[in-house]
């Protein structure tokens, strides 16, 4: 990682755009060259065994300084503070990996249209997410897709079939897929969105892998109702935790 920089902020116009659209970006966290330097360590992390659960792609910020530094980078943290206030807690990180097509066919499943809050044990379900491109994220390899303004209503979720990565999906009767935006990103770029923004990604139909890192941050008024593993806690990344609702964790050394 490069030397720390001053926290970025959003202008009043950008804040208004986020509240109108439910998403904002892409922004640059680092250069493509800097992400290329980090990529071998990220690949090694994804190949390593986690200490207390079986999800290699989940919450690795609790063990690895690189993942923590990406998740809490000033370019992300400062913009989140512009939207949610200075007091911020890092709840989860998730790597999403779409393997390239091989001679045997497509390897990874489609992520269905969904609103994140449907799956999350949070009260109230208020959260902001960043999605960081580790590899190029294109239409061909299954980039993130969003629907602007979809956060303004809650839609029902219904059972998904085996072709989907999640067990539930947003009810298609309530979704106009023609309104979607393809969020194509270069390595080192990221997007912000909230817990109700409808998003989705296709399967990877290319010969190019796609890795993304999702970062989940919440304000201290939110209580986590179910923890992911025995070691799981929230890491304070900005300001304070005046509420004390949740157990906390220290960042990795």
């Amino acid at each position: 990682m490069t030397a720390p920089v001053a926290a970025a902020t959003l202008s009043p116009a950008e804040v208004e755009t986020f509240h109108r659209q439910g998403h904002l970006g892409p922004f640059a966290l680092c250069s493509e060259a800097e992400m290329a330097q980090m990529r071998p360590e990220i690949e090694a992390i994804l190949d390593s065994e986690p200490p207390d659960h079986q999800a290699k792609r989940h919450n690795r910020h609790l063990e690895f300084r690189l993942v923590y530094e990406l998740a809490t980078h000033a370019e992300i943290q400062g913009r989140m503070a512009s939207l949610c206030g200075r007091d911020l807690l890092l709840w989860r990180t998730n790597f999403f990996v779409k393997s390239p097509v091989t001679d045997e066919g497509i390897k990874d499943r489609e992520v269905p249209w969904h609103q994140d809050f449907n799956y999350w044990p949070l009260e109230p379900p208020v959260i902001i997410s960043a999605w960081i491109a580790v590899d190029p994220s294109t239409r061909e390899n299954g980039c993130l897709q969003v629907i602007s303004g979809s956060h303004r209503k809650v839609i029902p979720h219904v059972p998904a079939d085996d072709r989907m990565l999640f067990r539930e999906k947003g009810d298609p009767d309530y979704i106009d897929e023609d309104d979607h935006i393809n969020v194509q990103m270069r390595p080192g770029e990221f997007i912000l969105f909230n817990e109700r923004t409808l998003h989705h990604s296709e399967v990877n139909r290319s010969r190019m892998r796609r890795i993304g890192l999702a970062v989940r941050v919440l304000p201290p008024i939110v209580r986590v109702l179910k923890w992911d593993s025995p070691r799981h806690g929230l890491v304070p990344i900005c300001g304070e935790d005046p509420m004390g609702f949740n157990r906390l964790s220290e960042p990795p050394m």
Side-chain angles (χ1 to χ4, degrees), residues 59-239:
N59 288 341
R60 305 312 298 269
H61 68 278
L62 294 173
E63 307 155 63
F64 293 100
R65 187 72 190 180
L66 176 59
V67 182
Y68 175 78
E69 289 180 352
L70 284 170
T72 61
H73 195 283
E75 295 291 340
I76 295 176
Q77 178 182 304
R79 289 180 171 92
M80 286 185 170
S82 294
L83 294 167
C84 298
R86 177 169 172 76
D87 300 330
L88 298 174
L89 304 172
L90 175 58
W91 175 41
R92 283 179 173 173
T93 56
N94 310 86
F95 282 103
F96 288 94
V97 182
K98 290 184 182 287
S99 301
V101 171
T102 67
D103 293 339
E104 287 73 38
I106 293 170
K107 295 186 67 176
D108 297 305
R109 289 174 287 177
E110 175 183 351
V111 175
W113 284 105
H114 66 284
Q115 294 174 311
D116 282 336
F117 87 97
N118 176 71
Y119 311 107
W120 287 346
L122 303 175
E123 181 57 43
V126 175
I127 197 166
I128 185 166
S129 294
W131 199 99
I132 306 167
V134 176
D135 292 325
S137 184
T138 69
R139 293 181 64 181
E140 292 75 20
N141 71 359
C143 69
L144 190 69
Q145 298 175 328
V146 299
I147 297 178
S148 292
S150 57
H151 64 301
R152 292 185 176 272
K153 63 179 180 180
V154 173
I155 68 165
H157 284 63
V158 297
D161 59 42
D162 291 341
R163 295 173 298 171
M164 302 291 182
L165 184 62
F166 303 156
R167 293 181 180 178
E168 292 185 342
K169 64 181 181 180
D171 190 331
D173 291 341
Y174 293 80
I175 301 170
D176 186 354
E177 296 185 26
D178 292 338
D179 289 340
H180 80 263
I181 297 168
N182 292 300
V183 186
Q184 301 190 88
M185 287 185 276
R186 295 187 296 270
E189 291 187 322
F190 69 94
I191 186 176
L192 299 173
F193 57 96
N194 78 11
E195 70 282 344
R196 297 184 310 280
T197 303
L198 274 167
H199 57 290
H200 161 266
S201 64
E202 299 281 355
V203 296
N204 185 353
R205 295 183 172 86
S206 78
R207 296 280 179 172
M208 180 173 59
R209 184 193 64 190
R210 194 221 70 179
I211 295 179
L213 174 63
V215 179
R216 319 298 191 178
V217 172
L218 48 82
I221 62 166
V222 178
R223 187 189 299 271
V224 178
L225 303 178
K226 182 180 179 182
W227 297 96
D228 296 332
S229 67
R231 288 184 56 191
H232 188 209
L234 307 185
V235 182
I237 62 172
C238 187

